[in-house]
Amino acid sequence: MDNQIFEALFEIVTFFSRTEEDRKLLKEAHVKLDTPTLPIIMRVDHQPGISIGELADQIGRNHSSISRQVDKLIETGWLEETERRDKRVRRVILSPRGQQTVQQIKLAREAAIRRRLAKYSDADRGELLRVLQRLSAVLNGNDDYEE
């Protein structure tokens, strides 16, 4: 059964990693953003003040690639660099434009998930949420997660 759990998780991660799904999401949100930069702005929204190194590690791309993409996102007004306490570490936050964009993306993502889970009852959706939150907590080292 453990391997089946891994396989299911692998398929879920694969779904959310598909460039085509990101393209559809951006189109539905009416956002003109390069597809490879979507994980960056979503991660910055989730972790304001994240460093370039942390972004690279969490997204699974090399530091120089992420740094170049972040530079473009800053130049085009999606991100802002935070004040540097350590000159070696760059940290970024969403700009007001980036915040508005993320809200559009979240609304489009909610609509897409709602469509895909349309056959789930409210009880099933609640159970799914509970199990996913618990799994997320455990995978992130929060073993004393309480429901």
Side-chain angles (χ1 to χ4, degrees):
M1 179 168 34
D2 291 340
N3 191 53
Q4 290 171 311
I5 292 170
F6 176 83
E7 292 295 329
L9 289 170
F10 185 79
E11 290 303 319
I12 292 167
V13 169
T14 300
F15 170 80
F16 283 106
S17 299
R18 286 188 197 133
T19 304
E20 185 56 34
E21 291 301 322
D22 287 350
R23 273 193 205 105
K24 286 179 193 175
L25 180 62
L26 290 170
K27 183 178 180 180
E28 196 170 311
H30 307 288
V31 171
K32 291 186 179 60
L33 185 69
D34 290 336
T35 307
T37 61
L38 178 61
I40 295 171
I41 68 165
M42 297 311 291
R43 181 58 51 187
V44 172
D45 174 61
H46 194 68
Q47 289 180 268
I50 191 170
S51 72
I52 306 300
E54 291 167 326
L55 271 170
D57 183 51
Q58 292 179 21
I59 293 173
R61 295 192 210 143
N62 67 48
H63 186 279
S64 61
S65 172
I66 293 295
S67 185
R68 283 191 303 275
Q69 289 177 322
V70 164
D71 287 340
K72 287 179 187 175
L73 289 167
I74 290 171
E75 288 171 22
T76 54
W78 302 93
L79 295 179
E80 296 174 355
E81 195 170 322
T82 62
E83 185 178 332
R84 286 194 193 188
R85 285 174 265 200
D86 180 342
K87 296 290 181 194
R88 298 166 294 174
V89 178
R90 292 175 60 202
R91 296 188 177 280
V92 290
I93 59 173
L94 291 174
S95 67
R97 177 184 183 196
Q99 291 171 5
Q100 180 183 358
T101 298
V102 166
Q103 289 308 316
Q104 289 172 245
I105 292 167
K106 285 179 177 181
L107 289 171
R109 185 176 55 202
E110 276 183 37
I113 291 293
R114 197 175 300 112
R115 282 191 305 273
R116 290 180 188 262
L117 299 181
K119 293 182 180 178
Y120 279 48
S121 69
D122 286 345
D124 287 343
R125 292 164 61 99
E127 179 66 6
L128 177 61
L129 174 61
R130 186 189 68 73
V131 169
L132 287 174
Q133 286 174 331
R134 183 175 180 198
L135 176 63
S136 175
V138 169
L139 291 177
N140 286 300
N142 186 1
D143 293 335
D144 34 313
Y145 171 80
E146 297 199 22
E147 299 176 34

